[in-house]
Amino acid sequence: IQSNCIVTSKYNIITFLPVNLFEQFQEVANTYFLFLLILQLIPQISSLSWFTTIVPLALVLSITAVKDATDDYFRHKSDNQVNNRESQVLIRGSLQNEKWMNVRVGDIIKLENNQFVAADVLLLSTSEPHGLCYIETAELDGETNMKVRQSISVTAELCDPNHLASFDGEVMCEPPNNKLDRFCGTLYWREKKYPLTNQNMLLRGCVLRNTEACYGLVIFAGPDTKLMQNSGRTKFKRTSIDRLMNTLVLWIFGFLVCMGGILAVGNAIWEKEVGFLFQSFLPWDPPVDNFLFSAFLSFWSYVIILNTVVPISLYVSVEVIRLGHSYFINWDQQMFCSQCNTAAEARTTTLNEELGQVEYIFSDKTGTLTQNIMTFNKCSINGQSYGIHFCLSFRLNFTPLNPLADPNFCFYDEKLLESVKVGDPHTHEFFRLLSLCHTVMSEEKSEGELVYKAQSPDEGALVTAARNFGFVFRSRTPGTITTTEMGQTVTYSLLAILDFNNIRKRMSVIVRNPEGRIRLYCKGADTVLVERLQPCNQELISITSDHLNEYAADGLRTLALAYRDLSEEEWEAWSESHRFADKATDCREDRLAATYDKIEQEMLLLGATAIEDKLQEGVPETIALLSLANIKIWVLTGDKQETAVNIGYSCKMLTDDMTEVFIISGHTVQSVRHELRSVFFKCRFSQISCVKYTLEHQRTYILEIKKFLSTACACKAVICCRVTPLQKAQVVELIKKHKKAVTLAVGDGANDVSMIKSAHIGVGISGQEGIQAVLASDYSFAQFRFLQRLLLVHGRWSYLRMCRFLCYFFYKNFAFTMVHFWFGFFCGFSAQTVYDQFFITLYNIVYTSLPVLAMGMFDQDVPDQRSLEYPKLYEPGQLNLLFNKREFFICITQGIYTSVVLFFVPYAVLSDATQSNGVPLADYQSFAVTTATALVIVVSVQIALDTGFWTVFNHVFVWGSLGSFFTIMFALHSQTLFRNLPNQFHFVGSAQNTLLQPVVWLTIALATAICIVPVLAFRFLKLDLKPQLSDTVRKPKFSFYDPSVSALLSSQSYCITATFERRNSIFGVPTGKKIARKSYQRVQMQMGNQKKDWKENLCATCYRSFRKNVCD
Amino acid sequence: MGKEKSKSGPLARRPDNSAFKQQRLPAWTPMLTASTVLPSFYLLALICMLLGVWLLLTVQNTQEMKVDYTEAGSCNLCFEMRKNVSNAGQKCTCMIMFSIEKAFKGDVFIYYGLRNFHQNLRRYMDSRDDGQMLGRKSNLKSPSSYCKPFDVDEKGVPIAPCGAVANSMFNDSFILTYYTINGPTVVPLLRKGLTWYTDKNVKYRNPKMDNLTLPEVFEGTTRPPYWQKPVYQLDPFDPNNNGFINDDLLVWMREAAFPNFKKLYGFLYRANKPFTKGLPAGNYSVAISYNFPVQYFKGRKEVVLTTVSWFGGQNHFLPIAYLVTSGLILLTAVVLTVVWWKFGKDGKNMAD
């Protein structure tokens, strides 16, 4: 039997070393270096000492190992902590304390209030009536509201341990899986079958709330629990730079083999012509008997020597830089949301530079662009619309009518209150529906102090509205709902809840009122509901749908409400079929849906509600800025078209100058194709605009991919309405696949998870809807507007830094390594290195690593506010201009040029030079020291040129690296080391003898000048003839006026008003109101020129916030 | 951890407002502008030019003379003789005449030069035992395996110094004669102080003597196969210049980086006339004890006489390289200036 012990750790003390090493050597780079190491151990080809490879390799492996070990240590710790939690297990009729890890499948355990559930258990009985219990599932799905679980009725009576001990039921259920919201099983007990659903299950990770105690039967334990099944490894994302880097590294390997081949051929020729004759001085090694074999060995020797073109430190450095950039994101105060006390978080540390290359943003609407704080704004009852926005009336005061009212609720239309007061039956029925038809839980800490816990904010808003208008939802049990209607407590018996889901788009309850009348209340999307109404009152239906359209055009979320009276017989008949469907073991969901569908017919329309979801702060500015940065923003929403379009206007996705707005909403293949074609042609001839694509038909959608893509991509803005979560992901995949562009998906809810996972970069907004999106995301923060900073500042910098880093890195290693190649032509291709072996070992990890790391960490071409002011600065990243194959070849060419200079200048000077005391300087060690010094100086000068932002770290690292080079060289050439290990440190005295010679310094200076001057000249020419925007912006006294920015500013005038108030209140500027008033006048003036309806709506929104500001 | 706990309230998780974390570290942001780049180009050109001229003038004052004696004059005979390995033990001397047109002023250095001799082959360079030459007794008796096949002789007696480098030591010797009107005068040469201080005093040491004579210390070892005399008899005149600290050995052991090289043989002893001011102009001869075979590897041998300046021997490359570089930088600077003047955008036309 499966034990409940969980193991998330990967290693223990004994297995750590072998397993970790095995894992690390699965990396191609590490294996490659291991292979080199083995080559170096063969004496005939070992052209470098083994330590030149093993030191960096060991360093890299141990850094990774230490990181893995720390991670695993914490995993062990948390495993231990979890496994050793106490739990009460029923053993032989008595409760005993057991550790979690000793709980087995089939055990009966007792849980107490506020305890974590130890395993996936079947709820048998609880201390509460009806076998109810409440749980919080924050650890599972991030939702903080409470949920009800109920035991099946037959086991609910088993309340004390003795009875439970005799419980001998048998459970058959589905195999372990990771679906949190589904469970399907059957309990066989006393020769009867009872169906089990998710409603009867308590999952591991939940916390028991508001329930004294409960008993449960362990069904899944340990790794089988849904929590553990869900903690699977997420797909590993790679950036395009990563992929490019891997290609380049392969090319370099190819290059390496070519170089090795050329030198091996050279060796063959040399050994045949010269080496053969030279044998009296240097006989061939015993296994070598001809020049070909010698060439073969020489090939491998050169592979060893030249391997430094792909230094092992490359991958480590890249990771370090990305980690640093991730920390900068986490530390950014300007991405900290003080309202919700949430800082931005880079949850993935490997994608940073891709943030600087984003071309497409796919955004969810609700909760991402909007706040997802719902306010009951308007309603239509029996053909009469309520709810207005002007400050003709003040905020309604509900307390005299209703002591239970929520003081935070705002509504301005007193007509509605009047209507409630006079007792209009429709109005009463309307609010009764709102107080009954929902799944909200209430918590009444003290009399009259109600707190509602709703799964969706919409529901909370509706129930709160009903509460204020005198229909107060008080409490619920599985069979009853208690409300206070106009001051009187009424208890309805709850006969059935017909649940909400995305396909049904509606929910209903069937209740019996105290008088015994049975009524079905239904609320849902208007499109679904209208089909199910009694056709008798067409007039009301058309008025209400006019209202609905009006609300939707205001950007409000609408719901239609309806009811139906049921006779006792109808109820009995339906309830029988429902029971039957409920017990079905296969296709239960579908059968239930079908039964629900049967009864939700012939309903009478009550009215409609409209809920406002306010835009988040700074959304229009962010969208405008991002589209100026040439990022295409697509909004994918489940909302209806009118709502979506309206939000599109209010958040500046759609603007005035988009003269033509195309809506594609065909229902058949033919019509969609036709519409797409016509739009596409218009796109080509006129300056447009926007496509709204109603993804109603999956099949149509698939057929028209190509057309859709070409049309949509020709448009400035695309809004897809009525999309399901799966379709969201498909749209993202489509762009990924066909446009080869970097995509970013941003969302806040569980319905965005698939989109977030399939995009290159997933961003989660930690908002109202739980943390599932955040958990699936790569980056998370609290507000949509932080996206501009994430992309335009952090992403841009990361990309820039990474590109500069890679360019320089390849350059410095080519400059370093290719010197050996040139030397090969002078040393008989014998694979003699130019430098001291210690220099080769330390070059990449000590002498040149830190300055380039500092550049990769801290470099800034323009300050952050500049990159927000000039969104065009983002374009080089999208076009991938800073590091691509062309740039790579330029770097390599520069590196090879440098190596030529670094070899031939010292060669030409030193081969004939002597010291001033007559001793020749042409000895190998002097040459090695001179070249190495020149190399370190040249690459240091080069990094100094490349660094555009000299912080104290850059200074310390650049000067420190130079200093360390000289210090370490003098130390390595010192007498002490030589005396102890004469064969390793045979360079004794070279540094001081060589570097004291003026001719050596003249050589180094000459080589440096020849290396750097052309680079400087090219850079200057480029700057002078083809300056990039960043170069121009960077100029200190730059005051150039960007027309696109001014356009943005003027187009923002509407929404500026809304934000003014906040800013001023933050800074405490007393003229805040004056400014607001002025901008209001400006809005009004502009209003005069506008004709379209939507603008009035917008102004109304604007005005509302203004009025709030002034009136308060 | 303690710090985090101490914070509370709505801003508890707010990141620190430090310049480092907010990426607002004070920084120097240098830029390439015409006002910095162009002047520095001109300045650099000027500096290179001045250096080049100065170096050229200095180099003009030095003199150099190379005499290839591989098969010149009477050395031809010796060259032929050395072709045959069986004659290795026989002595061969020859003489070459040359004349100096202009007197060599100041210190004069005499080098031997070799062409096409690869001291920089990987296995050749490794074929030595620095431990042995540091005087370690253990290495003396059992040389490092790197010295193979020159670590022990056929009888298993260890070779000192071991390895291909020592074995191939250059062993020609020269006697320079100056022909005055009064007759030939041997040019006095100093054959000491030819090496780095660290080589002579740190890197190479004889094994500890412990009151023994040098030959006794080296007992139980044998000379490298190509040598005529053992290592403790390299200098017949100065007993302190023998063993592993013999100057000629040290000079040879400092391997050359390139196949054509020269190594210091000695320098002019200027105490007596007529050599107090250097080598006077006139006729000279050099008598060579011709031992080192070069015909196997198509090599050449030469004698080189030079004077030196503050930066060493005659070296035309450096001043010319500086002058050429200076010219190129100047050219670049002019081109850049023209481009900047005529076509430069420099923010002026950006608004277009």
Side-chain angles (χ1 to χ4, degrees):
Chain A
I1 304 172
Q2 182 72 53
S3 96
N4 198 33
C5 184
I6 55 159
V7 183
T8 56
S9 56
K10 284 200 273 184
Y11 324 104
N12 61 38
I13 291 175
I14 301 157
T15 60
F16 176 73
L17 213 58
V19 175
N20 186 263
L21 281 182
F22 176 73
E23 279 177 358
Q24 291 204 41
F25 280 117
Q26 285 179 333
E27 290 264 334
V28 181
N30 289 344
T31 324
Y32 167 71
F33 286 102
L34 187 69
F35 168 69
L36 277 179
L37 188 64
I38 293 167
L39 280 185
Q40 290 184 9
L41 293 175
I42 303 171
Q44 274 77 23
I45 55 176
S46 155
S47 43
L48 279 178
S49 299
W50 48 271
F51 59 77
T52 53
T53 300
I54 205 163
V55 170
L57 183 65
L59 203 72
V60 167
L61 292 182
S62 50
I63 288 175
T64 320
V66 166
K67 190 177 142 267
D68 290 348
T70 351
D71 287 354
D72 211 51
Y73 170 73
F74 286 112
R75 268 185 239 123
H76 268 290
K77 233 171 120 178
S78 81
D79 283 358
N80 275 339
Q81 196 247 325
V82 169
N83 283 331
N84 289 321
R85 280 186 193 162
E86 295 274 310
S87 171
Q88 297 180 43
V89 182
L90 190 68
I91 301 172
R92 285 182 294 278
S94 65
L95 284 170
Q96 290 176 13
N97 276 343
E98 269 292 355
K99 288 180 176 166
W100 273 26
M101 57 183 172
N102 297 330
V103 172
R104 305 280 143 144
V105 171
D107 282 352
I108 290 176
I109 56 173
K110 183 185 180 191
L111 297 162
E112 283 170 0
N113 199 12
N114 296 335
Q115 271 188 346
F116 276 101
V117 180
D120 288 1
V121 298
L122 171 69
L123 187 61
L124 293 177
S125 65
T126 72
S127 58
E128 308 296 304
H130 312 286
L132 275 185
C133 76
Y134 299 91
I135 51 168
E136 195 182 273
T137 57
E139 277 210 6
L140 270 176
D141 56 12
E143 292 174 23
T144 49
N145 62 306
M146 272 192 271
K147 297 194 175 88
V148 197
R149 291 291 182 264
Q150 189 177 15
S151 62
I152 51 171
S153 48
V154 282
T155 60
E157 292 105 46
L158 304 170
C159 289
D160 65 290
N162 295 330
H163 284 114
L164 281 166
S166 60
F167 177 73
D168 58 350
E170 198 174 312
V171 175
M172 302 284 281
C173 66
E174 60 192 5
N177 60 51
N178 61 1
K179 293 194 181 100
L180 291 176
D181 52 348
R182 283 190 56 149
F183 177 78
C184 193
T186 322
L187 171 68
Y188 296 89
W189 191 38
R190 296 181 185 155
E191 277 127 41
K192 273 192 183 163
K193 279 164 71 174
Y194 305 94
L196 304 175
T197 68
N198 193 41
Q199 199 58 32
N200 313 115
M201 295 293 292
L202 303 181
L203 301 183
R204 184 183 179 125
C206 301
V207 183
L208 198 65
R209 296 277 187 215
N210 296 1
T211 312
E212 225 167 81
C214 72
Y215 289 95
L217 173 71
V218 177
I219 304 279
F220 298 130
D224 291 343
T225 56
K226 303 216 174 199
L227 179 69
M228 299 310 294
Q229 296 272 325
N230 255 313
S231 60
R233 207 166 262 207
T234 45
K235 205 169 74 182
F236 187 67
K237 290 181 181 177
R238 288 188 153 275
T239 67
S240 51
I241 293 262
D242 261 331
R243 287 187 292 272
L244 178 62
M245 209 160 76
N246 284 343
T247 322
L248 296 181
V249 165
L250 281 182
W251 286 9
I252 294 176
F253 282 148
F255 177 80
L256 188 67
V257 171
C258 287
M259 292 293 112
I262 293 172
L263 291 163
V265 170
N267 183 263
I269 296 167
W270 189 87
E271 289 288 351
K272 189 160 179 268
E273 300 289 322
V274 187
F276 179 69
L277 305 172
F278 201 67
Q279 278 208 68
S280 53
F281 291 117
L282 184 70
W284 283 340
D285 266 349
V288 182
D289 47 6
N290 61 36
F291 63 90
L292 286 177
F293 191 55
S294 157
F296 173 74
L297 293 184
S298 157
F299 172 79
W300 292 110
S301 301
Y302 269 111
V303 167
I304 294 174
I305 288 192
L306 300 177
N307 84 75
T308 43
V309 279
V310 193
I312 191 162
S313 51
L314 173 68
Y315 291 93
V316 183
S317 312
V318 166
E319 291 305 314
V320 168
I321 287 178
R322 285 178 179 156
L323 191 70
H325 294 172
S326 304
Y327 274 108
F328 281 132
I329 292 176
N330 295 347
W331 285 333
D332 194 339
Q333 267 197 327
Q334 293 179 58
M335 283 166 50
F336 171 78
C337 173
S338 47
Q339 284 107 352
C340 38
N341 192 17
T342 315
E345 189 189 357
R347 300 171 46 82
T348 312
T349 57
T350 55
L351 297 175
N352 294 311
E353 76 270 5
E354 197 136 86
L355 287 174
Q357 300 186 281
V358 172
E359 278 185 70
Y360 286 89
I361 292 180
F362 297 93
S363 173
D364 173 41
K365 189 182 78 64
T366 312
T368 306
L369 299 178
T370 61
Q371 294 178 349
N372 205 12
I373 297 174
M374 306 292 173
T375 48
F376 181 78
N377 204 298
K378 289 185 186 181
C379 61
S380 157
I381 302 172
N382 199 25
Q384 171 74 44
S385 176
Y386 300 97
I388 41 168
H389 313 289
F390 291 92
C391 47
L392 304 171
S393 62
F394 285 93
R395 204 169 113 178
L396 293 181
N397 187 1
F398 294 95
T399 23
L401 170 80
N402 179 2
L404 290 168
D406 183 355
N408 296 322
F409 181 79
C410 316
F411 201 78
Y412 298 94
D413 196 346
E414 56 199 70
K415 271 192 296 174
L416 185 57
L417 197 56
E418 284 304 313
S419 156
V420 173
K421 277 182 188 159
V422 299
D424 176 53
H426 286 107
T427 318
H428 277 201
E429 201 60 22
F430 180 87
F431 285 115
R432 188 171 293 125
L433 186 151
L434 292 184
S435 71
L436 292 174
C437 180
H438 56 79
T439 54
V440 173
M441 307 289 301
S442 74
E443 207 176 319
E444 198 160 358
K445 293 214 170 106
S446 59
E447 180 65 29
E449 207 184 305
L450 277 169
V451 178
Y452 290 144
K453 296 202 166 173
Q455 283 186 32
S456 82
D458 302 61
E459 272 202 327
L462 291 176
V463 179
T464 310
R467 169 182 172 180
N468 280 271
F469 283 101
F471 289 78
V472 189
F473 164 65
R474 296 299 288 268
S475 64
R476 69 159 71 230
T477 67
T480 61
I481 295 178
T482 309
T483 61
T484 306
E485 293 186 356
M486 306 307 290
Q488 284 178 340
T489 306
V490 187
T491 302
Y492 292 87
S493 56
L494 178 63
L495 300 177
I497 296 182
L498 286 59
D499 242 340
F500 177 87
N501 71 28
N502 276 329
I503 305 155
R504 280 164 40 75
K505 290 179 180 161
R506 60 184 184 269
M507 81 161 284
S508 309
V509 290
I510 302 174
V511 293
R512 193 200 297 270
N513 70 2
E515 289 88 57
R517 190 190 61 199
I518 300 174
R519 192 166 266 190
L520 175 140
Y521 290 108
C522 180
K523 68 174 184 198
D526 51 343
T527 44
V528 236
L529 225 65
V530 167
E531 298 163 13
R532 287 157 212 282
L533 293 177
Q534 262 184 17
C536 59
N537 197 346
Q538 280 303 334
E539 198 190 347
L540 174 64
I541 294 176
S542 73
I543 292 177
T544 309
S545 46
D546 283 353
H547 286 156
L548 277 168
N549 289 339
E550 201 178 287
Y551 299 159
D554 285 359
L556 304 176
R557 295 159 72 92
T558 57
L559 280 178
L561 312 180
Y563 72 96
R564 176 187 177 185
D565 281 319
L566 295 173
S567 67
E568 201 66 48
E569 294 77 45
E570 278 175 310
W571 159 246
E572 284 300 335
W574 183 80
S575 136
E576 187 56 41
S577 67
H578 176 239
R579 250 198 306 281
F580 183 73
D582 198 27
K583 280 187 181 158
T585 40
D586 55 324
C587 320
R588 188 169 159 273
E589 305 279 316
D590 297 343
R591 285 178 196 224
L592 278 177
T595 20
Y596 291 167
D597 201 45
K598 233 183 326 179
I599 198 152
E600 288 164 331
Q601 298 288 354
E602 302 286 308
M603 294 186 287
L604 291 165
L605 186 64
L606 263 177
T609 59
I611 291 174
E612 188 189 5
D613 189 4
K614 279 192 191 139
L615 274 190
Q616 276 185 24
E617 199 183 331
V619 166
E621 290 90 337
T622 305
I623 288 186
L625 201 64
L626 291 178
S627 41
L628 280 181
N630 224 5
I631 300 173
K632 299 189 182 66
I633 301 173
W634 291 26
V635 170
L636 312 179
T637 173
D639 277 332
K640 46 194 298 190
Q641 187 188 310
E642 291 79 10
T643 318
V645 174
N646 217 280
I647 292 287
Y649 276 115
S650 59
C651 65
K652 293 277 164 232
M653 262 190 77
L654 311 179
T655 52
D656 272 351
D657 47 344
M658 295 185 178
T659 43
E660 290 177 65
V661 173
F662 302 105
I663 297 173
I664 289 158
S665 53
H667 285 255
T668 61
V669 180
Q670 290 304 323
S671 65
V672 168
R673 184 175 296 164
H674 179 75
E675 284 181 36
L676 278 172
R677 191 168 301 146
S678 70
V679 169
F680 184 65
F681 281 114
K682 280 188 208 155
C683 289
R684 284 167 61 188
F685 297 116
S686 62
Q687 179 66 39
I688 39 85
S689 57
C690 140
V691 171
K692 288 174 284 346
Y693 191 67
T694 319
L695 296 168
E696 296 266 15
H697 297 274
Q698 185 96 30
R699 210 192 303 139
T700 322
Y701 165 74
I702 288 167
L703 279 170
E704 293 297 318
I705 281 175
K706 278 274 155 61
K707 207 80 201 163
F708 170 63
L709 258 179
S710 53
T711 313
C713 293
C715 295
K716 274 193 174 170
V718 178
I719 300 177
C720 297
C721 325
R722 297 288 193 209
V723 282
T724 63
L726 187 67
Q727 283 173 325
K728 285 185 180 181
Q730 283 172 333
V731 173
V732 174
E733 290 289 347
L734 195 66
I735 296 292
K736 249 171 95 175
K737 198 170 146 204
H738 292 274
K739 298 300 284 186
K740 304 257 182 304
V742 178
T743 56
L744 180 145
V746 48
D748 73 320
N751 57 345
D752 307 314
V753 168
S754 56
M755 163 170 96
I756 284 175
K757 278 189 172 162
S758 57
H760 289 106
I761 303 166
V763 175
I765 304 273
S766 47
Q768 313 286 323
E769 278 194 46
I771 52 166
Q772 263 175 308
V774 172
L775 288 180
S777 68
D778 305 308
Y779 297 90
S780 73
F781 40 73
Q783 301 258 311
F784 181 79
R785 69 190 153 99
F786 295 153
L787 198 58
Q788 57 181 335
R789 205 170 158 78
L790 184 73
L791 297 185
L792 299 187
V793 177
H794 288 285
R796 194 176 160 279
W797 275 346
S798 281
Y799 174 71
L800 177 93
R801 292 165 179 172
M802 188 58 76
C803 294
R804 288 193 172 171
F805 169 82
L806 288 175
C807 280
Y808 177 77
F809 211 88
F810 285 118
Y811 155 78
K812 84 173 163 87
N813 283 302
F814 268 81
F816 166 61
T817 310
M818 287 305 286
V819 175
H820 297 308
F821 179 77
W822 310 119
F823 189 53
F825 290 87
F826 293 84
C827 68
F829 307 95
S830 63
Q832 175 59 41
T833 57
V834 175
Y835 319 106
D836 180 8
Q837 313 221 328
F838 293 101
F839 179 77
I840 294 175
T841 316
L842 298 177
Y843 175 76
N844 261 314
I845 53 180
V846 179
Y847 302 147
T848 58
S849 62
L850 289 178
V852 67
L853 265 184
M855 182 184 74
M857 275 310 181
F858 304 112
D859 211 39
Q860 302 180 3
D861 56 344
V862 296
D864 51 349
Q865 65 271 22
R866 287 286 180 149
S867 45
L868 292 173
E869 281 164 31
Y870 300 93
K872 285 277 173 230
L873 288 172
Y874 192 74
E875 267 179 17
Q878 293 170 324
L879 303 174
N880 201 9
L881 293 180
L882 299 184
F883 189 73
N884 47 36
K885 285 170 186 159
R886 188 170 161 268
E887 290 296 319
F888 171 73
F889 280 116
I890 294 174
C891 298
I892 291 212
T893 316
Q894 196 196 342
I896 293 175
Y897 166 74
T898 307
S899 75
V900 170
V901 174
L902 284 179
F903 177 78
F904 286 97
V905 169
Y907 162 70
V909 178
L910 294 188
S911 61
D912 217 18
T914 64
Q915 297 186 357
S916 44
N917 63 3
V919 176
L921 266 171
D923 67 298
Y924 167 75
Q925 296 188 344
S926 299
F927 178 70
V929 170
T930 311
T931 318
T933 313
L935 172 69
V936 170
I937 288 176
V938 167
V939 296
S940 296
V941 173
Q942 181 67 40
I943 191 74
L945 267 186
D946 284 350
T947 305
F949 194 75
W950 284 80
T951 64
V952 61
F953 294 100
N954 297 82
H955 280 290
V956 168
F957 287 161
V958 170
W959 302 116
S961 289
L962 273 176
S964 77
F965 166 69
F966 287 108
T967 320
I968 293 175
M969 182 166 66
F970 276 96
L972 289 176
H973 297 181
S974 72
Q975 304 183 9
T976 330
L977 283 175
F978 173 74
R979 288 223 175 88
N980 292 314
L981 286 168
N983 283 322
Q984 303 297 344
F985 297 96
H986 56 90
F987 268 66
V988 57
S990 304
Q992 72 221 51
N993 278 301
T994 308
L995 295 181
L996 283 177
Q997 297 303 315
V999 66
V1000 167
W1001 286 105
L1002 286 171
T1003 314
I1004 293 172
L1006 182 67
T1008 312
I1010 298 177
C1011 286
I1012 298 299
V1013 163
V1015 180
L1016 211 58
F1018 276 119
R1019 296 233 168 136
F1020 178 74
L1021 270 186
K1022 211 173 144 195
L1023 205 66
D1024 205 30
L1025 296 179
K1026 274 207 296 186
Q1028 304 290 308
L1029 182 58
S1030 60
D1031 302 326
T1032 323
V1033 168
R1034 212 178 155 193
K1035 295 231 164 84
K1037 282 172 202 149
F1038 174 70
S1039 59
F1040 150 70
Y1041 186 68
D1042 186 348
S1044 63
V1045 174
S1046 74
L1048 165 69
L1049 288 177
S1050 68
S1051 71
Q1052 275 179 2
S1053 52
Y1054 298 113
C1055 296
I1056 282 173
T1057 20
T1059 48
F1060 256 64
E1061 170 248 337
R1062 280 212 182 90
R1063 282 192 197 146
N1064 286 322
S1065 65
I1066 287 172
F1067 297 114
V1069 178
T1071 54
K1073 284 181 184 170
K1074 214 181 268 172
I1075 294 172
R1077 208 164 279 142
K1078 260 188 199 157
S1079 45
Y1080 169 56
Q1081 284 164 356
R1082 203 159 130 213
V1083 171
Q1084 273 190 322
M1085 276 159 62
Q1086 289 189 351
M1087 264 174 84
N1089 304 327
Q1090 311 300 341
K1091 281 166 197 144
K1092 287 186 185 163
D1093 294 348
W1094 63 267
K1095 293 231 167 84
E1096 279 162 24
N1097 292 326
L1098 239 184
C1099 290
T1101 323
C1102 222
Y1103 176 59
R1104 208 152 58 235
S1105 65
F1106 160 73
R1107 189 214 48 209
K1108 220 160 95 192
N1109 184 8
V1110 176
C1111 300
D1112 287 354
Chain B
M1 287 299 279
K3 197 179 162 194
E4 268 172 40
K5 271 177 198 161
S6 68
K7 283 202 279 183
S8 62
L11 302 179
R13 275 186 248 153
R14 184 194 187 120
D16 297 338
N17 189 15
S18 65
F20 174 72
K21 289 189 174 180
Q22 302 307 318
Q23 304 197 59
R24 277 188 274 105
L25 285 173
W28 173 53
T29 52
M31 275 206 68
L32 297 182
T33 56
S35 57
T36 55
V37 173
L38 295 179
S40 59
F41 266 58
Y42 286 109
L43 190 69
L44 199 59
L46 186 70
I47 291 173
C48 286
M49 173 135 13
L50 291 178
L51 265 177
V53 170
W54 184 28
L55 290 177
L56 197 62
L57 291 178
T58 318
V59 167
Q60 296 297 344
N61 288 329
T62 59
Q63 279 170 295
E64 189 177 64
M65 170 108 202
K66 283 184 183 173
V67 182
D68 186 327
Y69 68 90
T70 321
E71 40 192 337
S74 61
C75 292
N76 198 10
L77 290 173
C78 294
F79 180 73
E80 293 302 326
M81 193 172 124
R82 290 288 170 235
K83 275 187 178 168
N84 193 343
V85 184
S86 57
N87 297 333
Q90 290 185 25
K91 292 202 166 155
C92 180
T93 42
C94 58
M95 187 179 283
I96 303 252
M97 304 295 295
F98 64 97
S99 64
I100 292 175
E101 323 265 289
K102 213 177 138 201
F104 279 47
K105 282 180 187 147
D107 286 335
V108 180
F109 296 85
I110 294 110
Y111 301 87
Y112 58 89
L114 279 175
R115 303 198 148 262
N116 207 23
F117 187 95
H118 286 78
Q119 269 204 313
N120 58 3
L121 299 177
R122 174 167 56 87
R123 288 186 303 110
Y124 180 87
M125 292 186 83
D126 288 345
S127 185
R128 56 189 288 164
D129 187 346
D130 285 305
Q132 189 189 45
M133 304 196 74
L134 182 61
R136 289 196 172 169
K137 289 246 166 94
S138 55
N139 295 51
L140 188 68
K141 294 285 147 59
S142 57
S144 153
S145 61
Y146 280 103
C147 285
K148 273 177 187 169
F150 303 107
D151 52 346
V152 290
D153 68 0
E154 308 88 64
K155 292 174 209 138
V157 182
I159 295 173
C162 73
V165 186
N167 183 47
S168 58
M169 186 174 143
F170 185 79
N171 53 1
D172 286 5
S173 57
F174 313 106
I175 296 168
L176 208 60
T177 315
Y178 174 50
Y179 295 92
T180 57
I181 314 144
N182 306 332
T185 317
V186 172
V187 178
L189 292 183
L190 274 178
R191 300 284 318 279
K192 267 174 232 139
L194 310 178
T195 64
W196 291 359
Y197 175 84
T198 46
D199 282 359
K200 184 88 179 173
N201 297 289
V202 180
K203 195 170 180 184
Y204 301 97
R205 304 270 69 200
N206 275 325
K208 274 214 182 97
M209 308 285 258
D210 300 329
N211 298 327
L212 299 174
T213 57
L214 206 52
E216 284 167 338
V217 173
F218 280 100
E219 205 170 279
T221 63
T222 181
R223 61 188 160 88
Y226 292 4
W227 285 20
Q228 308 297 329
K229 4 180 206 190
V231 69
Y232 44 86
Q233 287 172 5
L234 283 173
D235 190 339
F237 308 109
D238 182 358
N240 290 328
N241 191 23
N242 270 321
F244 291 147
I245 52 170
N246 176 270
D247 270 28
D248 289 333
L249 177 63
L250 265 53
V251 166
W252 183 255
M253 293 303 286
R254 182 150 286 284
E255 298 117 332
F258 305 104
N260 305 329
F261 57 88
K262 63 181 186 205
K263 283 178 184 279
L264 193 55
Y265 181 76
F267 47 92
L268 180 66
Y269 183 62
R270 286 165 58 192
N272 305 320
K273 283 197 169 178
F275 304 111
T276 43
K277 285 181 182 166
L279 281 183
N283 289 326
Y284 290 83
S285 76
V286 53
I288 300 145
S289 149
Y290 199 113
N291 299 316
F292 195 74
V294 290
Q295 61 278 13
Y296 302 126
F297 55 94
K298 299 176 185 158
R300 311 290 297 175
K301 298 196 281 191
E302 57 192 16
V303 174
V304 184
L305 300 173
T306 65
T307 61
V308 299
S309 60
W310 58 268
F311 80 95
Q314 194 174 47
N315 190 341
H316 284 288
F317 178 81
L318 201 58
I320 290 170
Y322 264 105
L323 288 176
V324 170
T325 310
S326 150
L328 288 177
I329 295 175
L330 192 64
L331 188 69
T332 319
V334 170
V335 170
L336 288 185
T337 315
V338 170
V339 167
W340 170 72
W341 194 256
K342 288 278 176 196
F343 312 103
K345 295 209 170 129
D346 202 24
K348 281 177 289 190
N349 339 352
M350 267 307 282
D352 302 346

